[in-house]
């Protein structure tokens, strides 16, 4: 794989030890107003997306099937790419610096694995998933969606910024195929209850029972592989898991 | 807001607390509706809307309108936002801002009879009856779409669906299988009805807010947008069939079916343009093939006054707006765009005198456009500089 000048520039700001970008250069505040106008380039429709610019080796018959909504610093996204080498996964992140970190991280990983061609199946988009999912994905395209440690937006006035709400569940159901799965994880019990209530009441979702949820091979990865998840484990917090099937 | 539309044979104008129904030819007032300054006097209560199954009420508090029993408290103006007839003209619905409510009237016989008055959570942005008049949809500036039953006229509204930004227009399909909504995020969404949690399709392609929708055939709609285009779609599959460039962003659109079947008159109000209104002739040549066959621009003295709305009859365009903060109405001939002649002396003055004469400021539409600002370039610049410094340190 030929590295471009841009990739070389990135690599000089990486740690000499790991060869990966250092998070301290990419710190950004956790909260963002998803309803405000941000500066995004977004496609008018899925047909207009140049997927090759995100996945240089993507084949014509391949398309994105897993989406990590609010992928943060990309820990889980990387794990997803390793667990499912044949699937194309995407991370969506609204914050400028954080999405840039993930892009740099993926570039560095690809470079390091240029012999095996690994990590060609993950990419990060800086976008507002609450508004633009139908712009990127056609009806029923996605097989799995992940909402891991979403911003709880504690104040009641900010509840409408929560990534799971009734109106948005219909939009997520549109891009998810029948039988597709939604994975939610949080350490905030109030938010977990909010999510479960809304999804239980939405006619297009049914919750997986505990046995089904625990036998999914992805489930153990949800706890540790995202940066937020690891932080919760370090601080001995609680994990609240809910997995739903799109009917 | 100054609502105006033509529902043959009446020209309907709603402003302030009044709705006037006029004969556009001799300008007699058929009838009028006047709302009291305080809607609680006709029975407005403030109640939380009942959510539809599958849609729990949003947890954001819906503050009741500023109504207090005692006098001497906050006085909120009542002003009419949207007015619409049911397709068979039996019913009239209107929404108010200030004290927010949905009012339903029986419009025949002579004097409109108030059937019900129900609270609204937020000021409405669009209003539309379904084909048999059994219910009316109200959309608001946060993108929520509520259904108000018109058979059970006192039934609480049901929240059917929500967008993430203001919904500018709403349509029902004739068979009531679909609800079509358009918003500020460039989207046209086709939702199933009554299973409104199930989105059927999107019509994607616009690059700016979509300000108007109209039904053309059972499968086709036309949309107008701030991206300076008119587009015709087969909405059942979300396919764009025609893109017509406009000279300026479109903020309102009216469509009339014309005599030869499959021809339509499409009129568009422009934003900030030398000509106020564009009138286009649209023809359907084959099932999926549409084209614009003629264009007429109507200057309507744009620039000398602040135009906000218009209505079309067979031969005239009635335009409302503000001049010196006063509600003004001007009439133009739709064939040549000239000021219309043949209107009785003093008619306009009479009509305007009949409406509220408080200072009138049309909405500033510049906020409809997305603010595009760049918060990425600066970050990337700083990053580049940081990397260069590190490089120099390594080499130096």
């Amino acid at each position: 794989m030929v590295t471009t000048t841009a990739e070389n520039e990135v690599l000089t700001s990486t740690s000499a030890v790991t060869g990966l970008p250092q998070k301290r250069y990419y710190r950004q505040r956790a909260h963002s107003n998803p309803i405000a106008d941000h500066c995004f380039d977004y496609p008018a429709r899925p047909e207009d997306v140049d997927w090759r610019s995100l996945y240089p080796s993507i084949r014509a018959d391949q398309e994105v099937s897993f989406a990590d909504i609010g992928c943060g610093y990309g820990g889980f996204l990387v794990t997803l790419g390793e667990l499912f080498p044949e699937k194309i996964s995407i991370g969506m992140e609204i914050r400028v610096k954080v999405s840039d970190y993930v892009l740099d991280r993926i570039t560095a990983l690809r470079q390091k694995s240029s012999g095996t061609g690994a990590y060609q199946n993950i990419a990060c988009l800086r976008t507002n998933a609450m508004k633009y999912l139908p712009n990127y994905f056609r009806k029923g395209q996605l097989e799995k969606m992940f909402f891991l440690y979403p911003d709880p937006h504690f104040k009641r006035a900010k509840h409408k910024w929560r990534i799971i709400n009734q109106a948005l569940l219909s939009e997520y159901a549109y891009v998810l195929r029948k039988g597709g799965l939604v994975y939610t994880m949080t350490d905030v019990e109030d938010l977990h209850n909010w999510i479960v209530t809304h999804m239980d009441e939405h006619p297009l979702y049914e919750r997986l029972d505990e046995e089904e949820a625990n036998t999914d091979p992805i489930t153990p990865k949800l706890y540790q592989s995202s940066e937020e998840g690891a932080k919760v484990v370090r601080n001995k917090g609680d994990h609240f898991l809910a997995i739903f099937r799109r009917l | 807001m100054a609502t105006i539309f033509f529902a043959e044979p009446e020209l309907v104008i709603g402003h302030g607390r009044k709705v006037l129904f006029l004969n556009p030819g001799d300008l007699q007032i058929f009838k009028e509706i006047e709302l009291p300054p305080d809607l609680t006097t006709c029975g407005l209560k403030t109640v939380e809307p009942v959510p539809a199954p599958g849609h729990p009420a949003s947890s954001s508090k819906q503050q009741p309108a500023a109504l207090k029993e005692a006098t001497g408290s906050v006085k909120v103006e009542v002003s009419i936002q949207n007015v619409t007839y049911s397709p068979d003209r039996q019913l009239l619905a209107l929404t108010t801002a200030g004290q927010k409510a949905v009012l339903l009237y029986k419009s025949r016989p002579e004097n409109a009879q108030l059937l019900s008055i129900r609270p609204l959570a937020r000021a409405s942005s669009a209003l539309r009856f379904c084909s048999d008049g059994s219910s009316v949809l109200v959309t608001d500036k946060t993108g929520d779409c509520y259904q108000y039953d018109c058979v059970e006229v006192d039934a609480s509204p049901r929240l059917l669906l929500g967008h993430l930004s203001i919904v500018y227009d709403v349509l029902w399909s004739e068979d009531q299988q679909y609800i079509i909504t358009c918003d500020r995020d460039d989207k046209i969404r086709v939702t199933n009805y009554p299973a409104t949690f199930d989105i059927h399709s999107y019509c994607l392609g616009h690059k700016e807010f979509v300000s108007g929708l109209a039904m053309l055939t059972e499968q086709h709609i036309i949309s107008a947008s701030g991206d300076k285009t008119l587009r015709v779609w087969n909405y059942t599959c979300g396919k764009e069939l025609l893109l017509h460039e406009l000279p300026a962003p479109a903020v309102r659109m009216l469509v009339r079916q014309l005599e030869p079947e499959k021809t339509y008159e499409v009129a568009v109000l422009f934003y900030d343009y030398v000509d106020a209104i564009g009138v286009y002739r649209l023809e359907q040549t084959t099932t999926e093939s549409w084209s614009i066959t003629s264009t007429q621009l109507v200057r309507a003295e744009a620039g000398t006054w602040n135009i906000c709305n218009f209505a079309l009859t067979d031969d005239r365009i009635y335009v409302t707006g503000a001049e010196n903060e006063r509600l003004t109405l001007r009439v133009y001939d739709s064939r040549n765009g000239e000021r219309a002649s043949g209107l009785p002396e003093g008619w306009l003055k009479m009509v305007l005198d009949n409406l509220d004469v408080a200072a009138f400021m049309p909405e500033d539409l510049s906020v409809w456009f997305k603010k595009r600002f760049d918060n990425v370039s600066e970050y990337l610049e700083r990053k580049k500089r940081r990397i260069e410094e590190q490089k120099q340190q390594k080499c130096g």
Side-chain angles (χ1 to χ4, degrees):
Chain A
M1 181 173 119
V2 177
T3 55
T4 63
T5 322
E7 284 170 354
N8 280 331
E9 280 178 353
V10 161
L11 295 171
T12 53
S13 78
T14 58
S15 154
V17 175
T18 62
L20 294 173
Q22 295 171 286
K23 278 195 202 130
R24 65 190 164 101
Y25 294 111
Y26 301 83
R27 291 270 173 236
Q28 185 167 357
R29 190 172 167 275
H31 306 283
S32 193
N33 176 356
I35 304 197
D37 290 339
H38 289 247
C39 160
F40 298 114
D41 279 325
Y42 52 88
R45 350 158 250 203
E47 300 90 320
D48 298 342
V49 182
D50 174 19
W51 292 106
R52 200 153 285 193
S53 64
L54 291 168
Y55 305 95
S57 317
I58 195 172
R59 298 190 310 262
D61 61 310
Q62 284 180 311
E63 53 181 13
V64 174
S65 34
F66 296 168
D68 183 359
I69 309 293
C71 65
Y73 289 91
F76 179 72
L77 180 64
V78 170
T79 304
L80 207 53
E82 291 164 350
L83 268 182
F84 298 93
E86 283 306 304
K87 297 284 186 185
I88 308 286
S89 301
I90 195 148
M92 302 177 99
E93 174 55 52
I94 197 172
R95 294 171 288 173
V96 176
K97 288 185 179 175
V98 178
S99 56
D100 194 48
Y101 173 84
V102 182
L103 287 168
D104 289 348
R105 182 175 181 176
I106 294 175
T107 304
L109 286 169
R110 286 176 180 172
Q111 245 234 329
K112 287 174 69 170
S113 334
S114 53
T116 61
Y119 304 108
Q120 290 290 324
N121 62 339
I122 56 171
C124 180
L125 263 180
R126 192 182 80 84
T127 190
N128 182 344
M130 289 169 80
K131 290 196 179 192
Y132 302 125
L133 285 181
N135 296 66
Y136 286 97
F137 307 118
R138 51 172 183 76
K139 187 173 185 177
Q141 175 173 339
L142 299 178
E143 291 174 34
K144 294 186 196 291
M145 288 176 77
F146 298 89
F147 296 88
L148 306 180
Y149 305 92
D151 192 332
H153 289 300
F154 289 108
K155 297 182 187 167
R156 183 166 301 197
K158 301 283 192 267
H159 281 186
K160 63 180 183 281
W161 290 6
R162 288 183 166 173
I163 195 136
I164 300 277
N165 63 46
Q166 220 52 24
L168 285 173
L169 283 172
S170 303
E171 294 220 6
Y172 302 150
Y174 174 83
V175 294
L176 259 181
R177 67 169 190 198
K178 282 193 175 35
L181 294 175
V182 175
Y183 298 74
T184 73
M185 171 81 83
T186 178
D187 57 327
V188 179
E189 190 169 8
D190 173 68
L191 180 63
H192 170 74
N193 293 336
W194 164 287
I195 290 173
V196 170
T197 308
H198 281 72
M199 293 191 78
D200 272 342
E201 290 188 0
H202 195 288
L204 292 178
Y205 297 96
E206 77 178 354
R207 189 172 179 185
L208 266 55
D209 61 39
E210 215 173 309
E211 201 196 318
E212 276 185 285
N214 288 330
T215 48
D216 190 320
I218 295 181
T219 301
K221 305 291 181 190
L222 297 173
Y223 293 91
Q224 282 274 45
S225 39
S226 70
E227 283 82 359
E228 282 297 319
K231 191 170 19 160
V232 171
V233 169
R234 273 201 309 276
N235 298 339
K236 302 210 182 14
D238 295 311
H239 294 276
F240 298 97
L241 168 72
I243 307 180
F244 288 84
R245 178 173 294 113
R246 195 272 198 221
L247 296 169
Chain B
M1 183 69 178
T3 294
I4 182 169
F5 63 93
F6 180 59
E8 188 152 12
E10 297 166 341
L11 182 67
V12 183
I13 303 182
H15 179 68
R17 290 187 288 112
K18 283 199 187 180
V19 185
L20 299 184
F21 301 79
L22 308 164
N23 180 326
D26 65 14
L27 312 156
Q28 298 289 338
I29 299 182
F30 285 136
K31 63 179 184 271
E32 68 176 65
I33 292 174
E34 179 167 5
L35 300 178
D38 183 351
L39 295 178
T40 52
T41 58
C42 33
L44 177 66
K45 307 182 219 344
T46 55
V47 175
E48 289 280 305
V50 168
H55 294 268
S58 66
S59 72
S60 58
K61 268 226 182 84
Q62 289 167 351
Q63 295 297 332
L67 306 165
K68 307 256 161 61
E69 288 76 25
T71 52
S73 50
V74 179
K75 187 78 201 302
V76 182
E77 289 277 314
V78 169
S79 85
I80 292 171
Q81 278 285 103
N82 297 99
V83 184
T84 189
Y85 264 120
S86 62
D88 61 7
R89 302 292 165 76
Q90 294 294 320
L91 296 174
L92 181 87
L94 65 89
T95 55
T96 55
Q99 281 187 352
K100 297 182 269 285
V102 176
L103 288 85
L104 187 67
Y105 293 85
K106 196 156 139 56
S107 65
R108 309 229 181 299
E110 272 318 305
N111 291 314
Q113 183 201 339
L114 181 64
L115 295 175
S116 74
I117 176 166
R118 289 171 277 188
L120 243 188
R122 277 168 289 269
S124 68
S125 51
L127 186 63
R128 189 86 64 173
F129 275 96
C130 64
S131 51
D132 63 5
S134 58
S135 67
V136 70
L137 293 179
V138 183
T139 61
D140 66 28
K141 67 175 164 55
T142 62
D144 289 336
C145 178
Y146 291 90
Q147 181 183 37
Y148 283 77
D149 197 319
C150 299
V151 175
E152 306 282 326
V153 296
D154 286 307
S156 287
R158 291 170 32 178
L159 175 60
L160 294 188
L161 58 93
H163 285 238
L164 217 66
S165 58
I166 180 173
V167 172
Y168 286 122
D169 209 347
V170 60
L171 297 177
W172 287 93
S173 65
E174 180 75 27
D175 53 11
Q176 293 185 49
Q177 292 296 303
Y178 302 110
I179 291 174
I180 306 171
T181 40
C182 66
D183 66 16
R184 186 170 171 268
D185 285 324
D186 332 334
K187 291 201 177 47
I188 297 168
R189 184 172 128 171
V190 182
T191 313
N192 283 301
Y193 180 82
T196 55
F197 47 80
D198 193 4
I199 299 173
H200 175 81
S201 65
Y202 283 89
C203 297
L204 298 175
H206 278 302
K207 299 199 156 65
E208 212 14 293
F209 60 81
V210 184
S211 52
L213 294 173
M215 214 62 181
L216 296 173
T217 73
E218 266 173 28
Q219 295 179 322
H220 300 105
I221 56 171
I222 183 168
S223 60
S225 164
D227 69 2
K228 308 189 200 174
T229 63
L230 281 176
R231 300 189 200 214
V232 175
W233 312 80
N234 179 325
Y235 67 84
T236 57
C237 57
K239 186 159 171 238
E240 184 185 300
L241 300 175
L242 172 70
L243 189 161
H244 183 77
E245 302 274 357
L246 297 172
V251 296
R252 235 172 272 290
M253 177 179 69
L254 284 182
V255 175
R256 293 191 323 136
Q257 185 133 23
L258 296 177
E259 259 329 284
E261 241 189 60
K262 305 189 190 190
T263 52
Y264 303 83
E265 187 179 50
V266 179
V268 168
L269 181 65
F270 295 124
Y271 173 80
D272 193 27
Y273 187 60
V274 58
D275 292 312
I277 294 171
V279 185
Y280 302 86
R281 195 180 162 97
L282 174 69
E283 282 178 27
Q284 181 183 22
T285 45
T286 69
T287 335
E288 303 287 288
S289 176
W290 295 76
S291 58
I292 299 284
T293 54
S294 83
T295 302
Q296 161 93 46
L297 294 175
V298 177
R299 183 141 303 188
E301 299 155 294
T304 65
W305 60 313
N306 191 342
I307 296 173
C308 67
N309 213 336
F310 71 103
L312 288 177
T313 62
D314 280 339
D315 51 0
R316 289 210 187 117
I317 307 178
Y318 295 77
V319 188
T320 55
E323 192 177 10
N324 301 325
E325 295 191 7
R326 307 305 292 263
L327 173 65
T328 305
L329 187 48
R330 296 188 193 170
V331 189
Y332 300 87
D333 191 315
S334 48
R335 271 164 306 222
N336 54 28
E338 303 287 318
R339 273 301 258 277
S341 53
L343 289 171
E345 267 301 316
W347 170 74
L348 289 175
K349 186 170 180 318
M350 186 259 317
V351 170
L352 295 171
D353 283 347
N354 240 297
L355 293 163
D356 274 0
V357 288
F360 174 52
M361 292 288 285
E363 191 193 340
D364 172 16
L365 302 186
S366 63
V367 298
W368 288 19
F369 294 86
K370 286 262 175 45
K371 289 186 282 296
R372 295 184 194 280
F373 52 89
D374 189 352
N375 51 6
V376 181
S377 301
E378 200 197 302
Y379 162 70
L380 290 177
E381 269 302 309
R382 274 184 280 132
K383 182 181 173 188
K384 210 162 131 197
R385 267 182 270 133
R386 170 171 46 85
I387 292 171
E388 308 222 328
E389 276 167 18
Q390 288 180 334
K391 256 202 205 135
Q392 281 172 4
Q393 280 173 7
K394 277 200 182 138
C395 303

